[in-house]
Amino acid sequence: MYQVVPGGAGGTITDVIPKQKLTKDSRPLVGAGIIGSVLVISAVTAWCYYIASLRKAELLKTQLLDLNKDGYIIRNQQGSIVFRMDFRSGTLDLDSCSKEGEMLSCDRTTDRKLNFFIETVRPKDTVQCYRVRWEELAPDIPVEHAMTYKFAHWYGGALSAIQHWPIALSGQQSPKPFVTSDIISHRDEFGGILESYWLSSNATAIKINNSVPFHLGWNDTERTMYFQARYHDTPFKPNPGEEPRAELSYRVCVGLDVTSIHKYMVRRYFNKPNKVPAKAMFRHPLWSTWALHKTDVDQEKLLAYAANIRKYGFNCSHLELDDRYTSRYGEFQFDPVKFPNASAMFQKLKTDKFLVSLWTHPFVNYDSATFHTCVERGLLVMEPTGGLPALVRWWNGIGGILDFTNQEARDWFASHLRALRSKYGISSFKFDAGETNYLPWKFSTRNHIRDPSTFTRRYTEMAIPYNDRAELRSGYQSQNISCFFRPIDRDSVWGYEMGLKSLIPTVLTISILGYQFILPDMIGGNAYRNRTDGNGVLPDRELYIRWLELSAFMPSMQFSIPPWEYDNEVVEIARKYTALHESLVAPRVLELAGEVLDTGDPIIRPVWWIATGDETAYKIDSQFLIGDDLMVAPVLEPGKQERDIYLPAGRWRSYKGERFDIKEPLHLTDYPVDLDEIAYFLWV
């Protein structure tokens, strides 16, 4: 017989305790124990998750910036949110994030790999900066971040046809190439002077890196600006041999106040001019033939114009012979019909002590004598294959556009300018156009350019030999081209769309973008028949006078429609303000111009420059400062001989001799300003 023992075959023999049945009274105790165990386990698990979340939260925080999967926020030292950026091109996989020192990096979204980092940089005690970079590892995937602008007023970016201060975006715009454009013919595009830099009233600034194929869009309902990098369906091109992998990289900096953070950004990121243009450009007005004669200018009209300047007792920095003095566009010889004796004309002007500048441009029309030469020598921008020149349409016809990335084309263009200067004693040139909208959508240049606006930069460089009196209307990374920059032609109207009211917002925007030597276009505007308030021939008389008064407080003045086209009263007002400009404005501007070389600080400044703690100051678009001690408040409305004026706290003396010693900002309502007056106040 055999015996079965507990444990089975080969098992260990143990004592066996018979299983007893639970009594009814013991069952609740067991249940409570089980529940208690579950609660303990849950509490421990929750605690672990809590500790893990704290560690993750600490990981995703870098100084005053908090990162989450959908974006990040930045706070100031007081804990208030001053900046918010949302990710629209992907959601970060936070488990892929790590932190080393002040660098927080992630390498995945929820569906693909990428390179992403935010690095904290503290360049000085009062400034905190964050370097942000999102790089896609696969080609043709756009990167898009969305900046909320509802926390503050914003300034900068680009000129526009309807210019406001601060920026006022309207409607919805999908991201489009952020490149220079002619806003006379393309009113919905960005203007001819632009930089990827914005500044806010809550002391925050953002600068997009120059290497980014940058596109800008917006949604005014959500109060959001879209910052996008892409290479698909765009004139931006990667470098040869590189995959079209988009990278959006930028720097956000936060400071104590808007003025100090802007000063830091300008010193750190903007080019500076290396010299001050001719002092006469600041002291005496420039006289252009354009608005008065348009393309009908000729030798007789030019000499008569110069004679009248002297006859009516005005000074002249120089006389500008505008379009068109050649037979064809792209040629450099004077039209023998319109200018039968150009040499004698220039000798007469020289004898009468007139310096003369000439209008020039980057186009060579197909019917010009020089077009064949430019084609044969490969001096023009080409179509994508590089086999043929790319024809473009501009406001004076059809032709090629000189390729200023090509040193041979630069030399050819420069040689013709030098020949004109040598033969006729030309003092300088007005460099018109230069915007990228005149390049074909698809094009090829001798030297590759990733960013089409680099073409604008190369064109502005042609003005360097003539920078004492040169004039440019386009600019991109061109602050060190020590010339006067002119906002594109104004219409002879009162409003914000290319009119008188647009002038102060435009000049303030250019100044914030680092361009300080400003020529605020022609007094009274262009006098186009279909875009003129007035009799269709001359701008409205009152508009002309108010424009003249405002221009007297700009760095330089420019006449074209002369005051004697109106009446003796207008001539007397013009004499009064050209004299005031020379005696009061020019000395201050010249002193500030010298400081620009080191600081880059604006000459023409917004009111908030000296009133950073006042919400009202951030919205003022009809007053400005020259330096810190001259406040200007022109009348910009038709039929008005009074206006409301804001005075920041301080000690001010009005142009009438009134004194205001105020500890709080003061609003002067319905302050009387006669037609021949402009209100201005000096810091005592």
Side-chain angles (χ1 to χ4, degrees), residues 94-258:
L94 298 183
D95 290 333
S96 74
C97 299
S98 61
K99 189 175 182 182
E100 182 175 345
E102 297 298 335
M103 176 84 76
L104 196 165
S105 58
C106 311
D107 60 20
R108 288 197 312 273
T109 66
T110 54
D111 61 355
R112 63 185 183 275
K113 290 185 174 295
L114 82 161
N115 288 329
F116 172 84
F117 73 76
I118 296 178
E119 180 183 16
T120 303
V121 181
R122 194 172 183 86
K124 53 192 299 187
D125 291 342
T126 57
V127 176
Q128 182 108 320
C129 293
Y130 304 91
R131 293 177 55 226
V132 182
R133 179 183 176 193
W134 180 304
E135 180 189 13
E136 290 291 345
L137 298 182
D140 293 325
I141 297 178
V143 182
E144 186 173 316
H145 292 180
M147 184 189 79
T148 300
Y149 62 85
K150 64 183 177 183
F151 298 119
H153 305 291
W154 284 84
Y155 314 91
L159 298 189
S160 59
I162 302 175
Q163 198 80 48
H164 290 288
W165 181 270
I167 293 169
L169 299 173
S170 177
Q172 288 78 47
Q173 172 63 56
S174 58
K176 59 183 179 180
F178 190 70
V179 295
T180 59
S181 185
D182 174 353
I183 51 176
I184 291 180
S185 55
H186 298 78
R187 300 242 165 171
D188 293 330
E189 299 300 321
F190 305 112
I193 299 176
L194 90 175
E195 304 291 335
S196 52
Y197 168 74
W198 288 267
L199 174 73
S200 84
S201 59
N202 60 13
T204 306
I206 180 169
K207 177 69 177 71
I208 310 297
N209 287 350
N210 295 333
S211 60
V212 172
F214 183 58
H215 298 66
L216 179 67
W218 58 84
N219 185 318
D220 68 343
T221 303
E222 299 176 354
R223 297 185 64 78
T224 297
M225 294 171 66
Y226 303 137
F227 297 161
Q228 187 189 78
R230 76 169 192 261
Y231 285 114
H232 174 67
D233 189 30
T234 176
F236 288 90
K237 296 178 285 188
N239 287 329
E242 288 185 358
E243 285 190 303
R245 301 192 312 187
E247 171 197 315
L248 181 59
S249 55
Y250 52 89
R251 183 168 297 211
V252 181
C253 294
V254 182
L256 295 180
D257 60 71
V258 60

Side-chain angles (χ1 to χ4, degrees), residues 31 89 415 469 588:
S89 51
S415 69
R469 285 180 167 82
R588 280 175 164 78

Side-chain angles (χ1 to χ4, degrees), residues 486-499:
R486 174 182 62 89
I488 200 167
D489 308 40
R490 304 287 103 176
D491 293 335
S492 300
V493 297
W494 288 90
Y496 284 103
E497 183 173 353
M498 308 294 285

Side-chain angles (χ1 to χ4, degrees), residues 351-363:
T351 301
D352 293 340
K353 299 188 180 339
F354 282 99
L355 297 176
V356 182
S357 70
L358 294 179
W359 177 77
T360 191
H361 55 84
F363 305 104

Side-chain angles (χ1 to χ4, degrees), residues 21 30 48 62 82 101 106 122 157 214 232 236 246-247 259 282 287 301 331 367 376 524 536 558 563 574 587 658:
K21 196 172 183 179
V30 174
C48 291
T62 174
V82 293
C106 311
R122 194 172 183 86
F214 183 58
H232 174 67
F236 288 90
E247 171 197 315
T259 300
F282 296 91
W287 297 78
K301 290 175 181 176
E331 298 174 353
D367 60 350
E376 288 297 308
Q558 184 178 32
E658 306 152 311

